[in-house]
Amino acid sequence: MLWSVAALRRSGLLCGRGGGRGLWTGRPKSETDNVKPLVGVKILDLTRVLAGPFATMNLGDLGAEVIKVERPGVGDDTRTWGPPFVGTESTYFLSVNRNKKSIAVNIKDPKGVKIVKELATVCDVFVENYVPGKLTAMGLGYEDVDKVAPHIVYCSITGYGHTGPMSQRAGYDAVASAISGMMHITGPEDGDPVRPGVAMTDLATGLYAYGAVMAGLIQRCKTGKGLFIDCNLLSSQVACLTQVAANYLIDQREGKRWGTAHGSIVPYQAFKTKDGHLVVGAGNNQQFATLCKILNLPELIDDSKYKTNHLRVQNRKELIKILSARFEEEMTATWLCLFEGCGIPYGPINNMKGVFADPQVLHNGLIMEMNHPAVGKISVPEKGKIQLGCRSQEFQAWNSGMGLGAQTEDLCEEWGGRPGTTTAHTLSWRHQSPGENRCPGGCHLFLNVHRGITAVSTSMSGT
Amino acid sequence: MICINSHNKHSSGAQEAEVEASLNPRRLRPAWATQTCFKSQMKRGERGEGNELMLHPWRNTIETDNVKPLVGVKILDLTRVLAGPFATMNLGDLGAEVIKVERPGVGDDTRTWGPPFVGTESTYFLSVNRNKKSIAVNIKDPKGVKIVKELATVCDVFVENYVPGKLTAMGLGYEDVDKVAPHIVYCSITGYGHTGPMSQRAGYDAVASAISGMMHITGPEDGDPVRPGVAMTDLATGLYAYGAVMAGLIQRCKTGKGLFIDCNLLSSQVACLTQVAANYLIDQREGKRWGTAHGSIVPYQAFKTKDGHLVVGAGNNQQFATLCKILNLPELIDDSKYKTNHLRVQNRKELIKILSARFEEEMTATWLCLFEGCGIPYGPINNMKGVFADPQVLHNGLIMEMNHPAVGKISVPEKGKIQLGCRSQEFQAWNSGMGLGAQTEDLCEEWGGRPGTTTAHTLSWRHQSPGENRCPGGCHLFLNVHRGITAVSTSMSGT
């Protein structure tokens, strides 16, 4: 046996407070403020590009430890996607890979596969985005991993799903956006389709996966067993079509492009001002009345053509023409002043400079400053302070991005092996997480420590 | 699409037996773990196998095939419009029970957002409110507030999207609910956050999309900004909330306490800007509109064909070579101007001009044929008809047929079959949409009271969920039954 009780004690795992057999110390006395929900969760991340890395990054933001498995030499494709680059790192890569540990493993080599499998035995989650069948061919499909790690939550992110006529196609956001109908409904009313300015199909899929992994952990809490999750770009984006799709499925109304406007709500769009654009909405009759007052068009309020949303939708063209003419008479800044505190939705169309100068954006802490080991101080966008309890918890950003395989050496030390080489090694994983909070009920949620050690012992016995 | 598959192995062998034994919670549970605070929540007479202090049966013997992760979770949903209802609908898809609290008379604004309508229901409302129970409660009335608070004591999650301060003024802010229901996971969805200069503004997708920079970067390269064709800012926020609620449940599992979650449109959309924002923050590169193209990858865009559009991508050099072969432009492969992605980005205009000219020579159908099985990303720009005729969309089961009590059979989009175990479980769609307050009467029967009236009633909530799976470890995850009953008793004693 590789593990000795002494070794486990050294790692702190067998030292409960007051000694004895407790592996953890029960519900912490400290405030919940500094606890992240996924502390203790280990994620083995084989994903590349955007959807997968975005999902695991968000899970990492909640405290999970993310181990990113990359191809030796090249790594994640997005390391080369630029300009712009910061040193040798692309900003694309940096924007969705913070706080992960990178190990370089050649999974086309059976020894690499063995390493990944042994890592899986001590991880809680396995996330991948290979074309269906590719990992199975290499011996890392769900059935293979489940055999050695039955506790694993295995999340597979693909373009179109695991079965069906398009399942063998690699998934790319722009293509999925096109096939799923998103692109058709985005663009100027009388112009060509466009894609959302950022890969929202990839990101929506990443967010679905982020939620699904946690659902998987909850499920395992109940049953003690792992499970398989299938997230794909096509399904995620179609699900997000919501009322546009429902209009077609229920009422056979085809989707169309509306520019900045909305199919069912009038007015709710951008209006050209003297020097830019202002987006304004009036979702009900009360808001419409307020808008008319601000625009100094009170006669519209009682006009029978525009009394209800339904009527405003019917008489859209005429109404928008009147409102547009009025908006063009003043500068954006003037309108922002006039609309201040009015209670109806309005806002300028910000470019990036405008966004990151916006007082609310700064207040929400949406710029994360990080120290990158190679290039120094950089900033990336993030979703803001995670508030637990009554006090906000400052997010301690560390290990921003990481060199390809940067943690390979570190983990090797613990492992006593060298991944990706021709020498076969028996690997062991010493889990070090002092002071971590564990489910006091002995819940299966975080199997990592217990199951991991148990499983490693089991697999070792056969080696 | 989310397919959750819990794999039930039935193979034999000593190693399997050992793994199986190691899965036995008894082996993994330290001896002291029975002495937890769960003792106080134990129902009288409940005993476990060989362990007098066990709260629950050991891991249930029922097949996991028909288990949804959030069965047993009760969500009190005060949200309206899109982000909140979308989040709770997704949680409901995973088995949670969603109780939608609506204003008497009007209900959720989106009930009136149309056309189109199906009977009196707008398709907008129907598309994001399936499988929820609607109760009509006037929360501007203190008696209505009392009802909601008592409901909170027996629910696991409380989701709302009021302008910050509004619910507090009514006595339903986090502090108020936490007092009576300290276990509650309280998720607040707002436009801009709970504090700061814009926190008092109501949140609307188009405005948040504009302020957050999303609109600026969407549109034709030489044209005006547009918004994404569906409210992606709202939806991204809804998905963040969906994940955050589950993170909250996991957190509660560890600590036994509830918590407060703040999700807002602005932060969610800015977080989704990913590399576009990073380009600015790191390299001071302003965002711009690219039409269907991509700032960092060439080619990766829609090309006009003779009769439509085809989206094609080449993310690396190998894919670019494949593309050139299909287009019968082999000379481009070795052209020094286009050898790497970096060079293709630099020489974008020239390359796209050549490719565009070639694509316009054939019909979309011809290109689809030529690209079949090539291994590089490609696809047509589908309208709704094209989407819901697509064989893969149909295969994935993305059309959910439901029986609406008022209007009969309708279809809505959804994310596909939830697969548990080895068999796919057909999603039993029921209670599609619901009349405003439709379940008020039903719940009243259980409660022995009538919400929204001037008579104050003592409410109790009988939780009925036979055969539900409970966390075998006595985890705090589903407090609903135990904590709920305990808490209601506590609150009743003061009435």
Side-chain angles (χ1 to χ4, degrees):
Chain A
M1 262 261 307
L2 273 180
W3 289 104
S4 65
V5 169
L8 285 172
R9 268 217 191 98
R10 269 199 303 277
S11 68
L13 293 170
L14 277 188
C15 302
R17 258 194 211 142
R21 295 165 58 199
L23 275 165
W24 57 79
T25 57
R27 205 163 78 202
K29 292 206 179 78
S30 58
E31 290 281 350
T32 51
D33 280 9
N34 297 321
V35 171
K36 291 188 202 174
L38 300 185
V39 163
V41 174
K42 269 184 154 54
I43 300 179
L44 197 56
D45 179 7
L46 273 69
T47 66
R48 300 86 25 98
V49 188
L50 184 56
F54 186 67
T56 56
M57 177 179 79
N58 277 294
L59 292 165
D61 286 351
L62 292 180
E65 183 181 354
V66 182
I67 300 137
K68 188 176 171 90
V69 179
E70 296 187 76
R71 262 185 308 179
V74 182
D76 189 319
D77 264 346
T78 58
R79 285 183 183 267
T80 61
W81 283 9
F85 293 91
V86 187
T88 53
E89 306 274 278
S90 81
T91 56
Y92 194 115
F93 178 83
L94 289 173
S95 71
V96 291
N97 285 285
R98 62 171 169 262
N99 290 336
K100 300 180 189 175
K101 296 177 177 171
S102 166
I103 60 172
V105 181
N106 179 10
I107 62 173
K108 291 186 176 165
D109 183 328
K111 295 168 198 86
V113 169
K114 189 163 186 275
I115 285 158
V116 171
K117 271 169 141 167
E118 286 180 355
L119 278 170
T121 60
V122 292
C123 287
D124 295 277
V125 181
F126 185 107
V127 194
E128 57 89 4
N129 73 333
Y130 283 75
V131 169
K134 287 271 173 352
L135 280 188
T136 304
M138 292 190 255
L140 286 173
Y142 174 62
E143 293 76 12
D144 308 300
V145 175
D146 179 62
K147 222 178 259 183
V148 298
H151 63 276
I152 209 96
V153 173
Y154 190 113
C155 179
S156 177
I157 298 172
T158 58
Y160 305 94
H162 266 252
T163 56
M166 293 180 65
S167 57
Q168 287 304 296
R169 289 209 213 165
Y172 280 80
D173 173 274
V175 177
S177 180
I179 294 176
S180 67
M182 182 66 183
M183 210 182 265
H184 173 76
I185 58 175
T186 302
E189 197 170 349
D190 304 311
D192 285 330
V194 299
R195 43 187 287 280
V198 79
M200 286 309 297
T201 303
D202 261 332
L203 298 172
T205 307
L207 289 173
Y208 264 119
Y210 153 79
V213 162
M214 285 192 277
L217 291 172
I218 290 171
Q219 177 70 357
R220 190 175 71 188
C221 184
K222 284 201 232 181
T223 64
K225 280 188 171 275
L227 46 84
F228 176 78
I229 297 166
D230 174 347
C231 270
N232 65 83
L233 301 184
L234 180 69
S235 302
S236 302
Q237 185 63 76
V238 169
C240 284
L241 292 178
T242 54
Q243 93 277 10
V244 178
N247 289 354
Y248 174 76
L249 292 171
I250 293 173
D251 204 51
Q252 288 80 54
R253 288 193 187 214
E254 186 50 72
K256 60 169 287 220
R257 291 182 284 285
W258 288 102
T260 61
H262 194 288
S264 322
I265 309 159
V266 175
Y268 188 40
Q269 62 181 77
F271 292 93
K272 269 200 161 104
T273 64
K274 220 173 195 174
D275 63 341
H277 292 89
L278 187 75
V279 173
V280 177
N284 57 41
N285 300 337
Q286 201 177 339
Q287 291 185 348
F288 180 65
T290 306
L291 173 64
C292 294
K293 284 177 194 146
I294 296 171
L295 294 180
N296 201 20
L297 296 166
E299 64 277 13
L300 294 181
I301 302 175
D302 294 313
D303 192 326
S304 58
K305 290 197 290 294
Y306 313 125
K307 275 205 98 62
T308 64
N309 182 60
H310 199 154
L311 287 162
R312 291 190 287 273
V313 169
Q314 276 183 344
N315 300 305
R316 174 195 293 263
K317 272 193 157 63
E318 196 184 319
L319 176 59
I320 295 302
K321 195 172 168 191
I322 298 168
L323 299 177
S324 300
R326 185 72 188 91
F327 273 110
E328 282 192 56
E329 292 172 6
E330 308 286 354
M331 315 274 269
T332 307
T334 309
W335 286 122
L336 287 173
C337 226
L338 289 167
F339 275 85
E340 174 91 40
C342 65
I344 74 175
Y346 73 95
I349 296 185
N350 277 333
N351 60 8
M352 290 302 115
K353 185 177 179 183
V355 172
F356 294 106
D358 183 282
Q360 187 68 35
V361 168
L362 297 172
H363 175 87
N364 285 4
L366 304 182
I367 305 175
M368 182 189 293
E369 285 190 357
M370 317 187 76
N371 280 319
H372 189 284
V375 297
K377 197 159 151 192
I378 60 166
S379 297
V380 288
E382 68 119 349
K383 54 188 191 304
K385 304 188 188 93
I386 298 169
Q387 289 180 338
L388 298 174
C390 304
R391 295 200 291 277
S392 67
Q393 159 206 321
E394 295 298 330
F395 190 82
Q396 299 303 321
W398 56 277
N399 196 20
S400 151
M402 57 280 178
L404 169 56
Q407 278 74 44
T408 316
E409 294 288 328
D410 297 342
L411 292 170
C412 268
E413 264 183 50
E414 295 184 42
W415 297 340
R418 197 158 290 282
T421 64
T422 54
T423 318
H425 285 272
T426 309
L427 300 173
S428 58
W429 181 279
R430 276 196 297 278
H431 180 79
Q432 293 175 2
S433 36
E436 244 175 37
N437 292 304
R438 293 262 164 247
C439 177
C443 177
H444 286 291
L445 195 67
F446 304 114
L447 291 182
N448 183 350
V449 174
H450 303 283
R451 187 69 55 78
I453 294 170
T454 309
V456 165
S457 306
T458 306
S459 66
M460 288 305 148
S461 59
T463 314
Chain B
M1 170 178 173
I2 298 177
C3 294
I4 301 180
N5 183 330
S6 179
H7 203 93
N8 247 330
K9 301 284 292 182
H10 296 295
S11 48
S12 58
Q15 193 176 9
E16 298 295 340
E18 197 177 336
V19 171
E20 180 62 31
S22 77
L23 290 176
N24 186 326
R26 238 173 298 186
R27 279 270 300 272
L28 292 170
R29 172 188 284 262
W32 61 265
T34 55
Q35 297 153 23
T36 65
C37 59
F38 304 101
K39 206 156 99 178
S40 62
Q41 293 153 31
M42 193 169 63
K43 272 181 161 174
R44 221 168 263 183
E46 241 188 299
R47 292 286 184 260
E49 267 183 292
N51 184 335
E52 289 198 346
L53 293 176
M54 268 309 297
L55 278 172
H56 306 282
W58 286 119
R59 204 171 68 213
N60 71 84
T61 51
I62 302 168
E63 286 282 347
T64 52
D65 278 10
N66 296 321
V67 171
K68 290 188 200 175
L70 300 186
V71 163
V73 174
K74 269 183 152 57
I75 299 178
L76 197 56
D77 179 8
L78 273 69
T79 67
R80 301 83 29 96
V81 188
L82 185 55
F86 186 67
T88 56
M89 178 179 77
N90 277 295
L91 293 166
D93 285 351
L94 293 181
E97 183 181 353
V98 182
I99 300 139
K100 188 177 171 88
V101 179
E102 296 187 77
R103 265 184 305 178
V106 184
D108 188 319
D109 264 347
T110 59
R111 287 183 182 267
T112 62
W113 283 11
F117 292 91
V118 186
T120 52
E121 306 273 279
S122 80
T123 55
Y124 194 115
F125 180 83
L126 289 173
S127 69
V128 290
N129 286 287
R130 63 171 170 261
N131 290 336
K132 299 179 189 176
K133 296 176 176 171
S134 166
I135 61 173
V137 182
N138 180 11
I139 61 173
K140 290 185 177 165
D141 183 329
K143 295 170 197 84
V145 170
K146 190 164 186 274
I147 286 159
V148 171
K149 272 171 143 167
E150 290 186 8
L151 278 170
T153 60
V154 293
C155 287
D156 296 277
V157 181
F158 184 107
V159 194
E160 58 88 5
N161 72 332
Y162 283 74
V163 169
K166 288 270 173 352
L167 282 187
T168 303
M170 292 191 253
L172 286 173
Y174 174 62
E175 295 75 14
D176 307 301
V177 176
D178 179 61
K179 225 177 259 181
V180 299
H183 63 276
I184 210 93
V185 173
Y186 190 113
C187 178
S188 177
I189 297 174
T190 58
Y192 305 94
H194 267 250
T195 56
M198 291 180 67
S199 58
Q200 288 304 296
R201 290 212 214 162
Y204 281 79
D205 174 271
V207 176
S209 180
I211 294 175
S212 68
M214 183 65 183
M215 210 181 265
H216 172 77
I217 58 174
T218 302
E221 198 170 347
D222 304 311
D224 285 330
V226 299
R227 45 187 284 279
V230 79
M232 285 310 297
T233 302
D234 262 332
L235 298 172
T237 307
L239 289 174
Y240 264 120
Y242 154 78
V245 163
M246 285 192 279
L249 291 172
I250 290 172
Q251 177 69 0
R252 190 175 71 188
C253 183
K254 283 200 231 180
T255 64
K257 278 185 174 272
L259 47 85
F260 175 79
I261 296 166
D262 174 348
C263 267
N264 64 83
L265 301 184
L266 180 69
S267 301
S268 303
Q269 185 62 78
V270 169
C272 285
L273 293 179
T274 55
Q275 92 276 8
V276 178
N279 289 355
Y280 174 77
L281 291 170
I282 294 174
D283 204 52
Q284 289 78 53
R285 285 192 190 217
E286 186 50 71
K288 59 168 286 218
R289 290 182 284 287
W290 287 102
T292 62
H294 192 287
S296 320
I297 308 159
V298 174
Y300 188 41
Q301 63 181 78
F303 292 93
K304 267 198 162 105
T305 64
K306 222 176 195 172
D307 63 342
H309 294 87
L310 187 76
V311 173
V312 177
N316 57 41
N317 300 336
Q318 198 177 341
Q319 290 185 348
F320 180 65
T322 305
L323 173 63
C324 295
K325 285 178 195 144
I326 297 172
L327 295 180
N328 201 18
L329 296 167
E331 63 278 12
L332 293 181
I333 301 175
D334 294 314
D335 191 326
S336 58
K337 290 197 292 293
Y338 314 126
K339 274 205 99 60
T340 64
N341 182 60
H342 199 153
L343 286 163
R344 290 190 287 275
V345 168
Q346 275 182 347
N347 300 305
R348 175 195 292 264
K349 273 193 156 64
E350 198 184 316
L351 176 59
I352 295 303
K353 195 169 168 194
I354 298 168
L355 299 177
S356 300
R358 185 73 190 92
F359 273 109
E360 282 191 59
E361 292 172 7
E362 308 286 352
M363 314 274 268
T364 307
T366 310
W367 287 123
L368 288 173
C369 227
L370 289 169
F371 274 85
E372 175 92 39
C374 65
I376 74 177
Y378 73 95
I381 296 184
N382 276 333
N383 59 10
M384 290 301 116
K385 185 175 178 185
V387 172
F388 294 106
D390 183 281
Q392 186 68 35
V393 168
L394 297 172
H395 175 86
N396 285 3
L398 303 183
I399 304 175
M400 183 188 293
E401 284 188 357
M402 316 189 75
N403 279 318
H404 189 283
V407 297
K409 197 157 149 194
I410 59 166
S411 297
V412 289
E414 68 116 350
K415 48 187 197 303
K417 302 192 191 88
I418 298 169
Q419 289 181 340
L420 297 174
C422 304
R423 295 195 294 278
S424 70
Q425 159 206 322
E426 293 301 327
F427 191 83
Q428 298 304 321
W430 57 274
N431 196 20
S432 151
M434 57 280 179
L436 169 55
Q439 278 73 44
T440 315
E441 294 288 329
D442 298 341
L443 291 169
C444 269
E445 265 183 49
E446 293 185 46
W447 297 340
R450 195 160 291 281
T453 65
T454 54
T455 319
H457 285 271
T458 310
L459 300 173
S460 59
W461 180 279
R462 277 197 300 278
H463 181 79
Q464 295 174 1
S465 35
E468 244 175 37
N469 293 305
R470 293 266 162 242
C471 175
C475 176
H476 283 290
L477 197 66
F478 305 114
L479 291 182
N480 185 354
V481 174
H482 302 281
R483 187 66 59 81
I485 293 171
T486 308
V488 168
S489 304
T490 305
S491 69
M492 289 302 149
S493 58
T495 313

